[in-house]
Amino acid sequence: MKAFELSFLQVLREGLTWLGWTLPEAALEAMARYAWIVREWNERLNLTAIVEPEAMAARHFVDSLSALQAFREPGWPPDPADWPPRRLADVGTGAGFPGLVLKLAWPALELALIEATGKKARFLETVVRSLGLEHVTILARRAEEVGQDPAHRERYDGAIARAVADLPVLLEYLLPLVRVGGVAVAMKGAEVEEEIAAARRAMDLFGGRLRDRCELVWPPYLSPRTLLVFEKIAPTPAKYPRRPGIPEKRPLR
Ligand code: SAM
């Protein structure tokens, strides 16, 4: 663990310098513990192809933290009290990225981790218990069901996802969860033009508007990233999201 932790923390610190942030030492140590748990469970659960400490720090942890840049553009948030959002949903979180990393950075966050695969959800429960985290809800359900559940529909200040689906599909997962005035953040790679063009109809249908795009480059650790920030400007019509599997099968383009 020690050698792993040292290499992990070195790159994590470099990443924080790149982002221009400092975090308490205890948060960094908790991230190292979390990375180690992912690595330990990985053989059984196949959670990630990235297991080297430096790559884990960069591509899972710093990349997750970089999502917050979406909220640091000039003019956003209009009121600093809006960020961090009190309630955030991470859709298709897998082993907990980006949601759990954001929670470790901002303990006040009320976080919902939505993950359809039961064994991954059970892994997340283990991590949350081991790290002693409070106000984290793990939902072993599909985003389409959660988005139709009155306990979750339009109840979040923010919803976020990384590596889950193409934009028209992703917006059907994210926007129904977000209250009017809140934001949906899609973490994407460099090539986003076609996806944005294909998602125009979905944005209109689900009540979203592309508010911001934030390009991030951190060579040599990360390939170029784009954060797409959608503001929820109108309630999502009741018929969305459609039944589980339908958004992916018949994306609204
Ligand atoms: N966000 C994590 C990351 O970036 O490391 C995991 C990405 S993984 C490629 C996609 C995850 O999304 C899988 O764990 C899958 O089970 C989950 N997923 C896909 N569609 C989903 C849906 N409709 N509802 C809930 N989870 C979903």
Side-chain angles (χ1 to χ4, degrees):
M1 162 93 187
K2 205 64 203 164
F4 176 90
E5 188 180 346
L6 288 176
S7 308
F8 175 89
L9 286 175
Q10 187 186 332
V11 174
L12 185 58
R13 288 201 173 91
E14 281 180 47
L16 286 167
T17 305
W18 167 63
L19 290 167
W21 295 345
T22 48
L23 285 176
E25 202 54 30
L28 303 190
E29 283 165 14
M31 289 182 197
R33 271 207 307 286
Y34 170 26
W36 182 253
I37 301 172
V38 172
R39 199 175 142 115
E40 279 197 322
W41 281 63
N42 201 45
E43 279 178 22
R44 261 175 298 156
L45 293 190
N46 201 13
L47 296 164
T48 175
I50 301 163
V51 288
E52 293 309 316
E54 298 84 356
M56 275 189 104
R59 290 165 62 188
H60 285 322
F61 287 75
V62 177
D63 191 42
S64 292
L65 289 170
S66 77
L68 292 167
Q69 294 293 107
F71 303 91
R72 289 165 66 101
E73 291 290 283
W76 176 259
D79 175 351
D82 282 2
W83 184 255
R86 207 167 65 83
R87 300 196 78 202
L88 180 75
D90 179 12
V91 171
T93 188
F97 305 114
L100 265 186
V101 182
L102 298 178
K103 172 70 183 175
L104 291 173
W106 277 268
L109 210 57
E110 282 178 34
L111 179 67
L113 296 172
I114 301 172
E115 173 49 56
T117 305
K119 62 180 184 178
K120 290 185 184 172
R122 284 192 292 282
F123 164 78
L124 294 167
E125 278 160 12
T126 305
V127 175
V128 165
R129 246 196 332 272
S130 326
L131 298 178
L133 300 177
E134 291 177 343
H135 306 298
V136 179
T137 306
I138 296 157
L139 299 162
R141 301 167 68 189
R142 290 201 55 109
E144 299 92 313
E145 290 166 10
V146 181
Q148 287 293 359
D149 180 341
H152 297 281
R153 187 179 175 84
E154 301 196 328
R155 293 296 183 99
Y156 293 90
D157 305 313
I160 192 163
R162 183 181 84 158
V164 173
D166 282 348
L167 208 44
V169 180
L170 196 60
L171 291 176
E172 191 162 351
Y173 297 161
L174 295 180
L175 283 168
L177 296 167
V178 176
R179 64 169 169 81
V180 173
V183 292
V185 178
M187 300 179 70
K188 293 284 179 184
E191 308 295 329
V192 287
E193 291 314 327
E194 273 181 31
E195 265 194 84
I196 293 174
R200 292 276 168 212
R201 181 164 171 239
M203 286 177 223
D204 287 349
L205 284 174
F206 310 139
R209 175 180 75 91
L210 181 60
R211 168 183 205 137
D212 231 330
R213 46 191 290 177
C214 181
E215 275 145 32
L216 302 166
V217 190
W218 185 37
Y221 289 113
L222 288 180
S223 48
R225 312 283 293 141
T226 309
L227 301 170
L228 298 176
V229 186
F230 299 87
E231 185 184 3
K232 177 96 172 232
I233 54 171
T236 303
K239 62 180 170 185
Y240 304 117
R242 291 166 292 165
R243 281 184 293 113
I246 302 295
E248 209 178 353
K249 208 160 140 196
R250 294 206 298 272
L252 293 165
R253 291 177 196 278

